[in-house]
Amino acid sequence: LGGDAPKQPKKRDDGWRCLVPVPDDAPPPPEAHPTLGRPSGRWFYASATGRLLGLANRFDAVDGSKQFRPATLWERERDHRREWRWEAWPAPRPLYGLDRLAERPKAAVVVCEGEKATVAAGRLLPDFVVMTSPNGSKSASKADWSPLSGRRVTIWPDADAPGAAYAEEVA
């Protein structure tokens, strides 16, 4: 998903397909989840040309727990009905930061674990393109890492067991 066209069709057996990139005439993404409310964090995934691919949303509960829900646009083949759904892209999933990667073709890359860490690391490391894969430490294998081919890449995961597993899966 380095450009605007997906590498393979994102159609499911139920007649719905994920629209990647999101068409210009699409309805706006939902502002709130039906049960989790408004997200405390929201990250827009963009293609290499800056087109919207979908969003990652973080929800913080009063008990201190957190939940993540992607939002992707889907279309039903038979009648072209479109709706945003609180579900991940089918694999291969786009990387967060494809637009920044395209803007800096010679820059080295740092891969972090999660969008929040990616934004923070991007502020600390302005000479690098900082990126991540969607859906956390257990989904790295579902991401399309091909846009990083030929790039110098450093993997900078969280300092815990899931982070170590993520780094190994990314590598």
Side-chain angles (χ1 to χ4, degrees):
L1 295 174
D4 285 340
K7 287 193 170 272
Q8 65 184 21
K10 298 202 175 276
K11 182 180 165 190
R12 298 192 314 201
D13 293 340
D14 63 1
W16 287 85
R17 67 184 177 108
C18 186
L19 296 180
V20 180
V22 172
D24 293 335
D25 64 345
E31 292 292 325
H33 186 275
T35 58
L36 300 172
R38 287 182 138 352
S40 58
R42 182 169 248 203
W43 298 272
F44 290 79
Y45 277 64
S47 71
T49 60
R51 305 248 342 252
L52 179 64
L53 302 174
L55 298 87
N57 300 276
R58 175 183 169 141
F59 299 90
D60 294 317
V62 244
D63 67 0
S65 66
K66 60 186 175 185
Q67 291 188 39
F68 295 90
R69 295 282 190 281
T72 51
L73 185 67
W74 293 77
E75 182 177 72
R76 188 167 48 198
E77 192 172 34
R78 69 177 156 88
D79 60 4
H80 302 287
R81 177 179 166 203
R82 293 178 178 171
E83 63 184 44
W84 283 91
R85 293 185 177 181
W86 297 98
E87 60 183 270
W89 299 266
R93 296 172 179 165
L95 297 175
Y96 178 67
L98 291 172
D99 50 341
R100 295 184 304 279
L101 187 70
E103 290 169 1
R104 304 183 58 209
K106 297 199 185 291
V109 175
V110 172
V111 174
C112 289
E113 184 185 346
E115 295 86 5
K116 185 177 176 182
T118 298
V119 171
R123 289 187 190 120
L124 294 172
L125 305 168
D127 294 335
F128 294 82
V129 176
V130 185
M131 306 181 73
T132 194
S133 58
N135 301 101
S137 63
K138 295 182 181 176
S139 297
S141 66
K142 295 179 182 177
D144 177 8
W145 295 100
S146 66
L148 302 186
S149 180
R151 292 306 258 289
R152 247 182 32 241
V153 178
T154 299
I155 303 167
W156 190 11
D158 292 357
D160 56 15
Y166 176 76
E168 189 171 319
E169 195 172 350
V170 170

